[in-house]
Amino acid sequence: MTHPHGGPAAAGTGPADDEPDLLRDQFRQLLRYPRLMAGGVLLGLLGGAWLGYSTSDTYVATSDVVLRVPTEDPFNPTIAVEKTLDMNTERQAATSRRTAGRAADELGYEGDPAGFVSGLQVTNPPKSQVLRFSYTDDDPAESARRANALVAAYLADRREQTEQTRDTMIKGLQAQLDPVAKQHDELAEQLEGRAESDAEADYTVKANLLNRITELSNRISKLKALDVTPGKVIRTATPPTSSDGPGWALSLGLGGAVGIALGLLIAWVRLVFDPAARSEGDVARALRAPVLGSLPRTRDTDPLLTEDREESPLAEEYRSIAYRLAYDQRFADRRRLLVAAPRGSSRTAAAVAVNLAASFAETGKRVLIVEAELRRPSLENQLRAREVSRPAWTQDGETDAWPGGRRLTVDAGESGSFELVPGARVRNVARALTSPEMSRLVEEADDPGVTVIVLTPPVFAYADALALVDRVDGVLVVCDPRGVHRSQLARLRDLITGAGGTVLGTVMHRGQQSGGTRRGKGARGPSRGAAGDRPDRDAAGPEADGRGAGGRGAGGGARTGAADGAAHDDPATTMALRAVSPPDRR
């Protein structure tokens, strides 16, 4: 997939968005939080140590009981025990306070029965009529003794309840049998000596009473013969020989595994809510442009132009960036490049512009750097430059006005030389950036042998870059990923594309170390000499989008009426627009 102008596809649609690459990138980013991961592992190990300590002296004794229902014929195959026995109800009865109190009385336990039964666990293995009593205690002999006592108490209580139910039923049946038997006996006395033919009806009543007596007597006999055995102990609890805990080794191993998972989870949550762009993938996805190079950490006292360019790894990195730009058709057609930082200091962006100019000069191109920093220009004082003749088109105009006032040539050593239009303080910045003279400077790149590089202040600090993006072939963003948020990079891309520009790529760097040095004559300190080095004015970003080059024509005309209206309605927008063209107060 290619760009409409022939260049490579945007980074947001390339291989960087493939799922395996994203996963690998996220995993590498997780390793950026070693303290969080170490904290998770430490918490896991502490939890494992607590588990090992708390279970090192606990013993579990187990006893199994097979339950049965009361029956007069235990060998009758028509009786379905599983339908007459509710194991969940029995399990609740086994752990009841009634059973615990009975077992506590048997053992002479004087405390609360609820505390006695706190170590008991009763389970039912699937598809069985077995109750498993497991008792946990710090004394192995006591755990076995209490488990057996609870089993005995449960079986005794179950047997007692069954016998009470049987006796109650027998008593009720006997209460029905007694009057019937009495009535039968009285009727039998009355019928003595009488012929059966004379008292046929009484004999029929007597037969019915006898049948009723026989029925009740049979039911009473069956109840008396009922087997009320509640169950059978198939395994008696014995004192365990080892503790029930997983042991120190297993506890620490489990704690370490859980700690690693916890550390990764904490690091992942931190990564998700971290707004900073932590990797090349984050920067590329936010700007939808490739990362062309990554610069090492430098000192703010280092010269802008890399010395000893034949042996310097830093110079090779700049050459690599220059070659990648040269093969991008969006830039190679006209060779007009704008270099800017999102926020903060422009010193690194200036170093990138200068070294790219030297790299292009090595290939035989005539390179022109235009310093569009018109508030605190400093590039001239940081380079070995000398004055050259002015362009012919400046002879008839205002020769003292920027950008046609001065032109310098910079000695880049073995790489050759390149030209520089240094920045200068002007009364109206917006008018100078959109002037016909600025347009003629950029148009010098129409010559196949000329490359024009424009250096501007940070995009979020001033709208100067947005006033020029529609005149160049692309923008090279120079940023420290740790100092800018992903949302800010996405907003930067929207500002540039909204103003008619294209982001060609990104150069990442790791910031600059502060290093003390003596200031030479005419040189400025690192805190003042860096282009665009002033307090960050990120709040001007949205307003800059409203009055940038998108609000001008291709030739850089005046602001649109919508922008003027927004400036009158929003005080912050008015201040941002005034910052673009402050009066010269020298």
Side-chain angles (χ1 to χ4, degrees):
M1 182 176 179
T2 58
H3 191 273
H5 296 292
T13 59
D17 281 342
D18 291 342
E19 185 175 353
D21 292 337
L22 289 175
L23 292 177
R24 284 192 293 268
D25 185 48
Q26 286 188 354
F27 183 76
R28 284 193 296 267
Q29 293 184 57
L30 290 179
L31 300 180
R32 296 176 179 269
Y33 305 102
R35 294 183 179 179
L36 294 179
M37 298 180 65
V41 173
L42 180 60
L43 288 177
L45 291 176
L46 290 176
W50 177 83
L51 177 64
Y53 174 77
S54 61
T55 58
S56 61
D57 56 352
T58 57
Y59 299 87
V60 179
T62 304
S63 178
D64 292 341
V65 179
V66 177
L67 301 183
R68 63 183 303 274
V69 295
T71 178
E72 61 183 17
D73 185 5
F75 302 102
N76 188 355
T78 61
I79 299 177
V81 179
E82 63 274 6
K83 294 183 179 179
T84 58
L85 194 62
D86 188 351
M87 298 305 296
N88 288 329
T89 302
E90 297 298 331
R91 189 165 57 86
Q92 295 295 328
T95 57
S96 66
R97 188 182 183 92
R98 177 186 176 92
T99 303
R102 190 163 189 158
D105 294 339
E106 182 70 21
L107 296 178
Y109 183 81
E110 298 179 355
D112 188 3
F116 181 85
V117 80
S118 61
L120 176 65
Q121 183 180 11
V122 181
T123 58
N124 171 228
K127 298 181 180 180
S128 69
Q129 283 76 48
V130 176
L131 285 184
R132 178 164 296 164
F133 289 72
S134 300
Y135 198 91
T136 304
D137 195 78
D138 54 1
D139 185 358
E142 186 66 18
S143 64
R145 195 164 70 96
R146 292 189 178 186
N148 292 326
L150 286 166
V151 168
Y154 165 70
L155 292 177
D157 185 69
R158 193 167 185 268
R159 183 186 186 96
E160 182 179 314
Q161 290 183 11
T162 304
E163 290 177 347
Q164 288 179 356
T165 303
R166 182 197 63 181
D167 294 343
T168 301
M169 293 181 65
I170 291 176
K171 186 177 180 181
L173 292 174
Q174 190 66 45
Q176 298 179 38
L177 177 61
D178 290 341
V180 173
K182 183 178 180 181
Q183 183 180 0
H184 177 271
D185 293 341
E186 292 176 351
L187 185 60
E189 291 178 357
Q190 295 175 4
L191 293 177
E192 286 183 0
R194 297 176 61 184
E196 184 175 350
S197 57
D198 296 337
E200 184 177 356
D202 292 339
Y203 276 104
T204 302
V205 172
K206 179 182 177 183
N208 292 336
L209 290 175
L210 183 60
N211 291 336
R212 179 62 176 167
I213 291 172
T214 302
E215 179 185 356
L216 292 174
S217 297
N218 289 337
R219 293 179 62 184
I220 292 173
S221 298
K222 289 181 179 181
L223 287 174
K224 289 181 178 180
L226 191 66
D227 185 5
V228 294
T229 303
K232 181 181 179 181
V233 179
I234 60 176
R235 183 171 68 169
T236 303
T238 57
T241 58
S242 61
S243 65
D244 184 61
W248 283 99
L250 183 58
S251 297
L252 291 177
L254 291 175
V258 173
I260 292 175
L262 180 62
L264 289 174
L265 176 62
I266 296 174
W268 180 79
V269 172
R270 176 69 177 87
L271 176 64
V272 169
F273 290 98
D274 186 3
R278 292 287 182 176
S279 67
E280 292 186 4
D282 285 345
V283 176
R285 285 187 290 271
L287 289 175
R288 297 181 185 175
V291 177
L292 302 181
S294 181
L295 305 179
R297 190 177 182 87
T298 59
R299 293 187 297 270
D300 56 7
T301 56
D302 292 341
L304 290 184
L305 184 60
T306 304
E307 299 177 348
D308 193 12
R309 295 183 57 82
E310 295 298 326
E311 302 294 337
S312 173
L314 183 57
E316 289 299 326
E317 183 69 19
Y318 284 121
R319 290 190 183 96
S320 175
I321 298 171
Y323 292 154
R324 293 189 65 178
L325 286 172
Y327 285 104
D328 191 336
Q329 292 300 319
R330 295 173 294 176
F331 171 75
D333 289 342
R334 297 190 300 171
R335 299 165 308 285
R336 301 169 181 176
L337 180 67
L338 188 145
V339 180
R343 56 187 300 178
S345 173
S346 304
R347 178 176 174 79
T348 305
V352 171
V354 169
N355 285 276
L356 286 182
S359 299
F360 285 129
E362 288 179 349
T363 63
K365 298 288 185 181
R366 185 171 71 87
V367 184
L368 172 63
I369 294 182
V370 180
E371 184 184 13
E373 169 56 83
L374 306 182
R375 293 173 176 82
R376 293 187 177 183
S378 62
L379 207 55
E380 177 182 359
N381 295 330
Q382 301 182 62
L383 299 172
R384 297 192 301 267
R386 58 185 176 84
E387 190 107 14
V388 295
S389 60
R390 299 171 180 173
W393 50 263
T394 62
Q395 302 301 324
D396 298 332
E398 297 180 2
T399 57
D400 293 333
W402 188 91
R406 302 176 61 214
R407 181 172 294 202
L408 311 177
T409 180
V410 179
D411 182 11
E414 296 294 332
S415 299
S417 62
F418 56 88
E419 298 179 14
L420 169 66
V421 175
R425 293 181 180 272
V426 297
R427 182 177 298 276
N428 192 314
V429 175
R431 185 173 300 171
L433 293 177
T434 58
S435 63
E437 290 80 6
M438 184 64 188
S439 300
R440 294 192 188 100
L441 273 180
V442 177
E443 289 171 359
E444 290 191 23
D446 292 342
D447 187 338
V450 178
T451 298
V452 175
I453 300 176
V454 181
L455 176 64
T456 65
V459 179
F460 289 149
Y462 303 101
D464 299 358
L466 301 178
L468 300 171
V469 293
D470 62 337
R471 304 187 184 188
V472 297
D473 299 303
V475 178
L476 182 63
V477 178
V478 181
C479 71
D480 179 1
R482 298 170 302 176
V484 64
H485 295 174
R486 293 190 296 268
S487 60
Q488 293 172 338
L489 291 176
R491 185 156 60 92
L492 174 65
R493 182 198 69 235
D494 293 340
L495 291 176
I496 293 175
T497 56
T502 302
V503 179
L504 294 180
T506 310
V507 175
M508 295 173 50
H509 64 92
R510 299 178 56 190
Q512 292 184 333
Q513 296 177 346
S514 60
T517 182
R518 294 193 303 270
R519 299 181 183 178
K521 182 178 180 181
R524 301 176 182 175
S527 63
R528 297 180 59 85
D533 187 4
R534 60 178 294 152
D536 182 27
R537 295 176 57 185
D538 192 11
E543 289 79 13
D545 189 22
R547 59 95 40 222
R552 305 181 181 95
R559 296 188 302 269
T560 61
D564 289 337
H568 288 294
D569 294 338
D570 187 359
T573 305
T574 304
M575 295 177 63
L577 294 177
R578 289 177 179 176
V580 175
S581 56
D584 190 359
R585 300 180 179 178
R586 292 179 297 172

